[in-house]
Amino acid sequence: MLIFICFIVLFVFLKTSKQTFKKNIFLKSYLIFSFALFFITEFLSLFKILNYRAITITWTLFLFTLVILILKNKSFVSNSISIKNSFLENLKSASKFQLLTLVSLFILITILLYQGLMYPPNNWDSLTYHMSRIMYWLGNESVNHFPTHILRHLYQPPFAEFFILHVNAVQGNDIFSNSVQLFFLVGILYIVNSLLKSYNVEKTIRLLTLLLIISIPTVLLQATTTKNDIVSTFFILSSLFFCLETIKRNQNENYIFLGLSIGLAMLTKSTAYVFLAPVLLIYAFAFMSQLIKNSDYKSFIRISYTISLILLINIGHFYRNYQIDNDILNVDKVEASFYPNEKMNAEFLASNFIKNTGLHLGYPVNLISDSLTTKMHAALLNVPINSPNTNYLNIPFEEKTITSTHEDLVSNTFHLLFSIISIITILLFSIKNFKNKKVLLILALIIALQLTLFCGYLKWQPWHTRLHIPMFVFSCILIGISANQMKFLKYSLIISLPLLLYCSFFYITNNNLRPFVENSEYTKNIKINDSRYKKYFSNQIHLYDEYRNIEKVLDQEKINSIGLQLSDWEYPILRNFYYDNIKVQAINVGNITSKIEQPNIEIDVIVTNSNNSKYIIFNGKTFYNKTPNNKNIWCYK
């Protein structure tokens, strides 16, 4: 809780201090706090003291300093009263419908928080690399790269995991791990509300737009995970926000916050490059036009602040990648080649566009959609639907026979159809009649370019729906601004409220990996009252007993070091070692990371999923199999 308390106190300090920022303080608090978290991580790592003691002491000092500054602020009480009165006045002026929508938002966020606390990180990626890379960092007391069997430990941008690292290291467990994405979802709602407010969108539509965003199925399901698409979306949206702010108000602070937003987006997820590119391209045209028009060449100095911050935030991660394979974005050319399309032309682009769109056409139009997708490839495109040039690892396109409630596979059917209807309505009623036609055109262009870049660069994957979150959030903003001027769209949003709420509770209740109610059709064989340890294994319940056998071996005596030879799911082995400073090392590594130097430590235990024998000889020592009855994973001691 210490980390989240520090954020709240930072916000209070900025909000009640006259010497700081006057506008959008909540958003700026997010960015300052995120930068502080990044800086503390890299600083402690530099001196190889990235452990729970140093992290706890640093944040305690951070909190203590803020509290002292707040107490020294003589206007703190009067400012606090003013803020409280303003909040109460807004509540009093709200209509019953607005209050209903606001309460619905609050209930959804509260339920998601509870769900994230009740379940541990339990999706495939979290157990394979999101969470396990944190345990390597704590063991090494540094975020430097290390030999590993799982290359995603290294090249994947690490900011979301930096945040989880601090939360878990202070807490000593992963109770609040899933809360990090929800924390940034609240930030997304704030940014969207601020953007809509700046374009004079009425309060009712603003609240409905926020509900539209939080009810996106991929958002609902991912908000209780340790993935990073929501975190990435926050920084992409923040980048858009400060692009607009620098155009409106050519001030130093806006350029600084723009640099923080872009830099942190890049440090969070690789797909941020794809979704940021259209925003920054259009911004570059606007920036140069304004610069030429006003002859304000000091803007070059201001934009240098932005570029410097982007480089400062990412140079550490870039350098660590470059050291391995002379590539700032990856550490292995073979793995890097899996993701981009091998060939690209108009037909392949259309194929990827149709297949990516089809992922979101689930119930009740899934059968029609899948049939059309197959027929269009055969009759119109003359492109194999399962071409290895555009399908990741040759995974075939398959028809959706059931409604999925898994965060990787769920369809955003309603939101896609509503977006399409909105755009058609805008075109039918002629965009010339819109007050904010310029911003609508820019938003539509950004979304179109994002989709084109995404389909043009990345091979199709069946779990792409979660990567589309930024485009759906941008679409909701477009819908909100349009609905403010078109009664048809406004009333459509109002009428849709019961459906949005019903679907939201359906997906939350029947979450495939973190259900409130077990349902054989939609959920894994896991219950909310199962033990926390068993919940890690929602995806592979057959591994639960085997991992539990290994945990019993590890609990028998003090372990100082552990050697891993695993291809995935390392985290359940390591989840209890936040305070123990266990040295974690991958052994017998056969990939490019084997050249990374690591301390020569004495391994106490070896865990592997590739060797079942009576014993293993490693570094001249004999390790005996303590779990010979296991079928998938074994522990040697």
Side-chain angles (χ1 to χ4, degrees):
M1 283 295 286
L2 174 64
I3 309 299
F4 295 109
I5 291 169
C6 285
F7 168 78
I8 294 168
V9 175
L10 173 65
F11 168 67
V12 171
F13 166 69
L14 295 176
K15 186 71 175 174
T16 57
S17 175
K18 289 184 177 180
Q19 283 75 38
T20 53
F21 320 108
K22 294 179 180 175
K23 293 188 67 179
N24 304 304
I25 293 172
F26 192 62
L27 171 56
K28 290 171 182 176
S29 299
Y30 265 83
L31 294 172
I32 293 170
F33 183 75
S34 296
F35 179 77
L37 192 144
F38 147 78
F39 181 80
I40 290 168
T41 305
E42 293 284 3
F43 182 79
L44 296 180
S45 174
L46 184 64
F47 294 98
K48 293 190 182 299
I49 53 171
L50 187 65
N51 54 55
Y52 79 92
R53 291 186 186 88
I55 291 170
T56 304
I57 290 169
T58 304
W59 284 108
T60 302
L61 290 173
F62 183 87
L63 179 62
F64 182 75
T65 303
L66 286 175
V67 170
I68 294 296
L69 291 172
I70 289 171
L71 293 175
K72 281 188 173 182
N73 181 9
K74 294 179 181 178
S75 60
F76 170 70
V77 175
S78 59
N79 286 342
S80 299
I81 293 171
S82 174
I83 293 166
K84 176 188 171 185
N85 290 338
S86 175
F87 175 74
L88 291 174
E89 284 175 14
N90 281 330
L91 279 181
K92 287 179 181 178
S93 63
S95 67
K96 289 182 179 179
F97 184 80
Q98 290 169 354
L99 286 173
L100 172 66
T101 311
L102 193 61
V103 169
S104 300
L105 281 167
F106 179 77
I107 290 172
L108 283 173
I109 291 169
T110 303
I111 293 172
L112 289 172
L113 175 62
Y114 177 72
Q115 190 172 41
L117 294 175
M118 291 300 294
Y119 279 91
N122 65 355
N123 60 59
W124 203 285
D125 286 351
S126 294
L127 300 181
T128 298
Y129 81 98
H130 285 301
M131 299 299 294
S132 52
R133 73 197 303 201
I134 292 171
M135 306 312 294
Y136 279 93
W137 292 338
L138 286 173
N140 297 333
E141 300 186 74
S142 165
V143 294
N144 288 339
H145 285 350
F146 46 86
T148 176
H149 297 283
I150 303 166
L151 295 176
R152 287 181 293 171
H153 278 147
L154 308 185
Y155 70 82
Q156 290 285 3
F159 176 75
E161 289 87 344
F162 281 0
F163 202 127
I164 298 168
L165 162 71
H166 286 251
V167 172
N168 290 6
V170 172
Q171 192 73 17
N173 54 49
D174 55 27
I175 293 288
F176 291 102
S177 297
N178 293 329
S179 304
V180 170
Q181 284 237 98
L182 185 62
F183 173 77
F184 281 99
L185 176 55
V186 172
I188 287 172
L189 299 180
Y190 175 84
I191 297 174
V192 172
N193 183 64
S194 298
L195 281 168
L196 295 178
K197 197 173 182 179
S198 67
Y199 290 103
N200 300 314
V201 175
E202 65 172 270
K203 195 179 209 177
T204 299
I205 295 175
R206 293 204 310 268
L207 289 170
L208 285 168
T209 305
L210 301 188
L211 192 62
L212 192 65
I213 288 171
I214 200 173
S215 63
I216 298 171
T218 46
V219 171
L220 275 174
L221 297 176
Q222 205 182 122
T224 56
T225 74
T226 57
K227 289 186 177 179
N228 51 21
D229 296 281
I230 291 174
V231 182
S232 173
T233 301
F234 170 84
F235 291 121
I236 293 165
L237 268 180
S238 177
S239 300
L240 171 67
F241 184 89
F242 284 106
C243 282
L244 295 170
E245 285 295 297
T246 58
I247 298 298
K248 292 176 188 174
R249 287 173 283 277
N250 200 12
Q251 299 170 347
N252 288 343
E253 80 173 50
N254 288 330
Y255 286 92
I256 289 170
F257 284 108
L258 176 59
L260 291 177
S261 301
I262 297 170
L264 290 165
M266 291 165 58
L267 192 66
T268 301
K269 195 170 184 72
S270 298
T271 51
Y273 291 86
V274 172
F275 296 122
L276 276 173
V279 176
L280 299 182
L281 179 65
I282 293 170
Y283 173 69
F285 280 112
F287 175 81
M288 292 303 296
S289 299
Q290 191 176 67
L291 186 143
I292 294 168
K293 181 181 178 181
N294 300 330
S295 299
D296 181 13
Y297 295 102
K298 288 183 179 178
S299 292
F300 277 121
I301 298 173
R302 296 188 184 101
I303 203 69
S304 71
Y305 301 154
T306 302
I307 296 169
S308 298
L309 279 167
I310 294 169
L311 292 174
L312 173 65
I313 290 169
N314 287 278
I315 196 166
H317 182 61
F318 287 166
Y319 176 69
R320 290 188 284 269
N321 283 344
Y322 188 80
Q323 279 184 307
I324 297 177
D325 200 28
N326 299 328
D327 186 339
I328 63 173
L329 298 179
N330 216 302
V331 296
D332 182 71
K333 290 181 175 62
V334 174
E335 176 137 343
S337 67
F338 291 158
Y339 299 100
N341 290 304
E342 293 173 20
K343 294 181 181 178
M344 186 44 57
N345 54 35
E347 287 79 14
F348 283 131
L349 181 63
S351 170
N352 266 359
F353 174 81
I354 292 167
K355 286 187 289 187
N356 274 282
T357 304
L359 291 174
H360 294 287
L361 292 171
Y363 180 83
V365 295
N366 52 309
L367 295 178
I368 299 171
S369 163
D370 292 339
S371 175
L372 279 174
T373 298
T374 304
K375 288 176 181 177
M376 288 176 75
H377 276 80
L380 298 177
L381 297 180
N382 196 30
V383 171
I385 195 169
N386 294 320
S387 169
N389 294 316
T390 57
N391 282 33
Y392 175 75
L393 297 180
N394 294 331
I395 297 173
F397 180 88
E398 296 178 350
E399 294 185 357
K400 298 180 287 294
T401 55
I402 61 169
T403 300
S404 176
T405 58
H406 192 289
E407 70 243 19
D408 291 346
L409 302 170
V410 67
S411 300
N412 299 327
T413 309
F414 173 83
H415 292 76
L416 176 65
L417 295 176
F418 201 95
S419 298
I420 293 170
I421 291 169
S422 300
I423 291 169
I424 292 171
T425 306
I426 292 167
L427 294 173
L428 286 176
F429 282 83
S430 176
I431 200 162
K432 292 180 181 179
N433 299 324
F434 283 82
K435 293 177 185 175
N436 292 315
K437 62 181 178 181
K438 194 173 183 180
V439 72
L440 283 170
L441 284 170
I442 290 172
L443 275 171
L445 180 59
I446 287 172
I447 296 166
L449 289 173
Q450 286 176 333
L451 184 58
T452 303
L453 279 173
F454 188 94
C455 295
Y457 179 67
L458 290 172
K459 287 185 176 181
W460 174 86
Q461 300 176 19
W463 46 83
H464 260 173
T465 60
R466 63 190 174 88
L467 302 183
H468 296 157
I469 288 175
M471 289 187 286
F472 275 92
V473 173
F474 273 72
S475 298
C476 289
I477 298 170
L478 181 70
I479 291 168
I481 295 173
S482 304
N484 194 55
Q485 295 164 240
M486 299 184 67
K487 288 185 178 179
F488 168 75
L489 288 179
K490 176 183 176 180
Y491 291 128
S492 296
L493 278 174
I494 293 172
I495 293 169
S496 300
L497 180 60
L499 178 63
L500 289 175
L501 290 174
Y502 170 78
C503 290
S504 297
F505 287 111
F506 169 79
Y507 283 112
I508 292 173
T509 304
N510 295 285
N511 186 315
N512 185 259
L513 300 180
R514 295 169 297 283
F516 280 129
V517 178
E518 188 185 8
N519 185 318
S520 59
E521 186 176 357
Y522 300 114
T523 72
K524 301 292 187 184
N525 185 24
I526 202 78
K527 302 180 183 67
I528 196 167
N529 58 353
D530 282 333
S531 71
R532 186 171 180 85
Y533 190 61
K534 186 176 182 180
K535 290 173 185 173
Y536 285 106
F537 302 93
S538 293
N539 259 315
Q540 297 193 92
I541 201 69
H542 65 279
L543 292 181
Y544 166 60
D545 287 331
E546 297 196 9
Y547 272 80
R548 190 169 58 172
N549 291 338
I550 293 173
E551 187 164 76
K552 289 175 183 176
V553 175
L554 298 179
D555 288 342
Q556 284 175 4
E557 60 183 80
K558 175 69 176 174
I559 300 294
N560 296 312
S561 60
I562 185 167
L564 297 179
Q565 191 172 355
L566 297 173
S567 55
D568 55 28
W569 281 46
E570 293 179 331
Y571 181 67
I573 302 294
L574 308 171
R575 54 113 194 181
N576 271 336
F577 298 140
Y578 283 99
Y579 284 169
D580 294 339
N581 200 28
I582 294 289
K583 301 299 179 185
V584 183
Q585 284 195 359
I587 62 170
N588 300 326
V589 176
N591 57 47
I592 193 171
T593 66
S594 62
K595 69 180 184 179
I596 302 173
E597 291 185 11
Q598 61 181 347
N600 186 19
I601 63 172
E602 215 175 275
I603 300 294
D604 295 327
V605 172
I606 293 174
V607 180
T608 175
N609 60 3
S610 62
N611 191 338
N612 180 20
S613 57
K614 288 184 178 180
Y615 61 87
I616 293 175
I617 297 175
F618 179 76
N619 282 352
K621 291 174 66 177
T622 303
F623 293 79
Y624 293 93
N625 193 342
K626 298 296 181 180
T627 55
N629 294 326
N630 283 3
K631 296 179 180 180
N632 300 281
I633 185 169
W634 303 274
C635 181
Y636 293 80
K637 192 173 179 183

